């Protein structure tokens, strides 16, 4: 496997067959070598910097019914909330005080937030705080809506493709279209956003063949960001009794993504930190270079329960800020509080 990992490190590419061979034969030694090469690649491009994004989960209403997700429409046990524009701006204000220069506004697909409301929120943030980046993560919209948000100042957009296996996608997403999801990613890229795709690891019936498809899809799409994390069952969903994904598999995939897309911004996600106390640190060592601490008001934190056992639900933004800084330093990296754009867009 070392030969294949070297080939991937040197060329940032492998065929589907080679990727599958790697995934099917990951012994302890290969894993160590893979993580080392991925870490080397991130150090070469982004040094030891870890970029910080402040996450604001502003609504847990959602019109979709994804079978894995705790805020799915049919979950009558979810206690729903929406943040007002003023509350969102207050989160940004506290974030700004703590040094954050990127805000990620994430929410379910909630028609209450019309295009006009989103435009108003984005432009108010951009007008209130100097040199900050705004990332939206609010699901599938039309080209025209995406364009309006972009013209209002939104810089980046996260829309995980969730899985690139059409069959698996369809089985998990009632009333949704895989083709539309992919179209949205292309629209976002066309408009000029820095885009983020990504997928879950350890979904029921997910195979290494599926991961190869995810990886080759990402290589072709060339997103600026890729968010991946373990699937974690949520007790009020149809997948409540399924097994969660593992730190080990997630870290292998983080390393493969770092080597396929050396310049990508790659978070060590909250889900990864939620299945293991040292999950995020392991993610950083496997090639991740972003963390997204929570800036949502503590009063709503536990309501944004996409999965069970989510960390940081009781912690103030300032506590998370300190906690994560210590963790990053202990893992041997440096916190970077700048906007943290993709390397191709820095210093322009
Ligand atoms: N486990 C892990 N991740 C989940 N997400 C949604 N539900 C779960 C779950 N049960 C992820 C999806 C979504 C992102 C916001 O959270 O990938 O895109
Ligand atoms: Fe939130 Fe550690 S990052 S408490």
């Amino acid at each position: 496997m070392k030969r294949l990992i070297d080939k991937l490190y040197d060329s940032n590419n492998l065929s589907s067959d080679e990727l599958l061979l790697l995934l099917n034969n990951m012994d302890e030694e290969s894993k160590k070598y893979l993580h080392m090469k991925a870490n080397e690649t991130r150090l070469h491009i982004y040094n030891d910097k870890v970029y910080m994004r402040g996450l604001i989960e502003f609504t847990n209403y959602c019109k979709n019914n994804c079978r894995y997700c705790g805020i799915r429409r049919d979950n009558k046990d979810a206690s729903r909330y929406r943040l007002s524009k003023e509350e969102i701006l207050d989160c940004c204000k506290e974030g700004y005080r703590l040094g954050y220069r990127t805000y990620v506004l994430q929410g379910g697909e909630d028609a209450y937030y019309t295009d006009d409301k989103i435009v108003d929120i984005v432009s108010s943030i951009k007008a209130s705080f100097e040199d900050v980046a705004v990332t939206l993560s609010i699901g599938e919209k039309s080209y025209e809506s995406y364009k309006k948000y972009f013209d209002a100042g939104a810089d980046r957009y996260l829309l995980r493709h969730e899985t690139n296996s059409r069959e698996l996608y369809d089985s998990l997403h009632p009333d949704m279209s895989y083709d539309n999801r992919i179209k949205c990613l292309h629209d976002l890229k066309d408009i000029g956003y820095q885009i983020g795709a990504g997928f879950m690891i350890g979904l029921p019936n997910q195979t290494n063949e599926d991961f190869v498809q995810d990886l080759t899809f990402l290589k072709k799409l060339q997103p600026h960001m890729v968010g991946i994390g373990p699937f974690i069952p949520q007790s009020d969903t149809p997948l409540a009794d399924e097994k969660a994904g593992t730190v080990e598999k997630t870290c292998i995939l983080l390393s493969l993504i770092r080597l396929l897309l050396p310049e990508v911004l790659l978070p060590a996600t909250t889900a990864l930190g939620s299945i293991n106390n040292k999950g995020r640190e392991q993610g950083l060592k496997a090639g991740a270079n972003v963390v997204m601490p929570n800036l949502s008001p503590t009063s709503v934190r536990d309501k944004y329960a996409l999965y069970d056992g989510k960390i940081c639900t009781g912690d103030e933004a300032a506590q998370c800020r300190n906690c994560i800084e210590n963790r990053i330093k202990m893992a041997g990296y440096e916190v970077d509080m700048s906007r943290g754009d993709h390397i191709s867009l820095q210093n322009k």
Side-chain angles (χ1 to χ4, degrees):
M1 290 305 110
K2 187 166 175 290
R3 185 189 60 80
L4 273 183
I5 296 168
D6 283 336
K7 184 173 172 192
L8 175 58
Y9 175 78
D10 291 335
S11 66
N12 304 124
N13 210 353
L14 283 183
S15 70
S16 296
D17 288 347
E18 289 170 325
L19 285 170
L20 186 61
L21 192 69
L22 252 187
L23 280 168
N24 283 342
N25 294 282
M26 268 293 155
D27 54 25
E28 281 307 312
E29 203 180 319
S30 314
K31 240 184 321 185
K32 252 198 196 149
Y33 191 65
L34 176 72
H35 295 327
M36 189 186 84
K37 288 311 225 184
N39 191 42
E40 232 175 76
T41 302
R42 76 53 89 61
L43 287 175
H44 178 64
I45 300 196
Y46 286 103
N47 302 313
D48 56 0
K49 291 176 187 168
V50 176
Y51 296 110
M52 303 271 274
R53 325 292 198 199
L55 180 63
I56 303 168
E57 299 156 332
F58 69 96
T59 172
N60 71 351
Y61 282 84
C62 191
K63 74 172 171 64
N64 293 330
N65 219 7
C66 309
R67 288 166 58 80
Y68 45 79
C69 183
I71 64 168
R72 66 200 301 270
R73 173 182 81 220
D74 280 357
N75 182 8
K76 304 294 179 234
D77 293 326
S79 151
R80 307 283 172 174
Y81 73 92
R82 294 184 173 113
L83 298 185
S84 66
K85 173 182 157 189
E86 288 66 37
E87 287 172 311
I88 295 171
L89 283 166
D90 279 348
C91 293
C92 296
K93 195 167 162 194
E94 172 66 356
Y96 199 90
R97 189 184 72 79
L98 294 169
Y100 291 96
R101 295 297 177 265
T102 292
Y103 308 111
V104 181
L105 303 189
Q106 186 175 94
E109 291 195 17
D110 180 0
Y112 169 85
Y113 295 91
T114 56
D115 285 353
D116 285 348
K117 284 206 178 79
I118 297 290
V119 162
D120 182 32
I121 291 166
V122 170
S123 47
S124 301
I125 296 174
K126 296 291 278 204
S128 307
F129 307 100
E130 215 172 299
D131 198 30
V132 299
V134 171
T135 305
L136 291 175
S137 179
I138 53 175
E140 296 177 27
K141 308 275 175 185
S142 67
Y143 185 97
E144 291 69 35
S145 298
Y146 285 149
K147 181 81 169 70
K148 282 186 204 162
Y149 313 153
F150 185 76
D151 291 342
D155 303 273
R156 310 177 188 145
Y157 204 104
L158 304 177
L159 184 75
R160 289 187 179 183
H161 64 281
E162 309 299 359
T163 170
N164 198 58
S165 152
R166 189 184 285 271
E167 211 177 312
L168 189 56
Y169 188 93
D170 288 345
S171 74
L172 293 168
H173 302 99
D175 327 318
M176 289 175 77
S177 143
Y178 165 85
D179 288 330
N180 192 58
R181 198 144 190 104
I182 305 303
K183 175 185 181 292
C184 285
L185 281 164
H186 288 293
D187 285 351
L188 290 161
K189 201 169 193 198
D190 272 5
I191 291 168
Y193 284 96
Q194 295 178 56
I195 63 161
F199 57 95
M200 271 176 288
I201 289 130
L203 291 163
N205 304 317
Q206 195 176 27
T207 62
N208 280 341
E209 281 81 0
D210 294 331
F211 292 130
V212 169
Q213 280 197 47
D214 285 314
L215 295 173
T216 51
F217 166 73
L218 289 172
K219 180 72 187 172
K220 224 165 101 193
L221 180 69
Q222 294 278 322
H224 306 82
M225 305 166 281
V226 173
I228 67 167
F231 156 72
I232 307 173
Q234 207 276 3
S235 44
D236 302 319
T237 64
L239 304 186
D241 297 328
E242 300 291 341
K243 273 201 341 233
T246 64
V247 174
E248 187 192 0
K249 192 73 170 193
T250 306
C251 286
I252 290 171
L253 285 155
L254 282 170
S255 291
L256 291 173
I257 293 166
R258 170 61 63 208
L259 291 169
L260 285 166
L261 300 167
E263 297 185 345
V264 81
L265 291 159
L266 193 60
T269 55
T270 306
L272 187 57
S274 296
I275 53 169
N276 183 302
N277 180 36
K278 284 280 155 67
R280 285 172 298 179
E281 287 87 331
Q282 290 186 45
L284 294 175
K285 290 179 183 170
N289 66 334
V290 172
V291 288
M292 299 168 62
N294 207 313
L295 283 182
S296 313
T298 38
S299 56
V300 302
R301 288 265 184 109
D302 57 342
K303 299 192 173 101
Y304 202 80
L306 308 186
Y307 48 83
D308 290 341
K310 190 172 165 203
I311 49 169
C312 304
T313 52
D315 298 293
E316 295 289 344
Q319 278 173 280
C320 278
R321 167 76 183 77
N322 288 337
C323 166
I324 199 72
E325 172 150 14
N326 288 334
R327 285 168 175 268
I328 289 168
K329 284 188 176 152
M330 289 297 288
Y333 302 100
E334 270 308 310
V335 170
D336 188 306
M337 295 301 293
S338 69
R339 281 170 53 114
D341 286 301
H342 187 264
I343 192 88
S344 65
L345 298 158
Q346 286 187 16
N347 308 318
K348 276 194 183 166

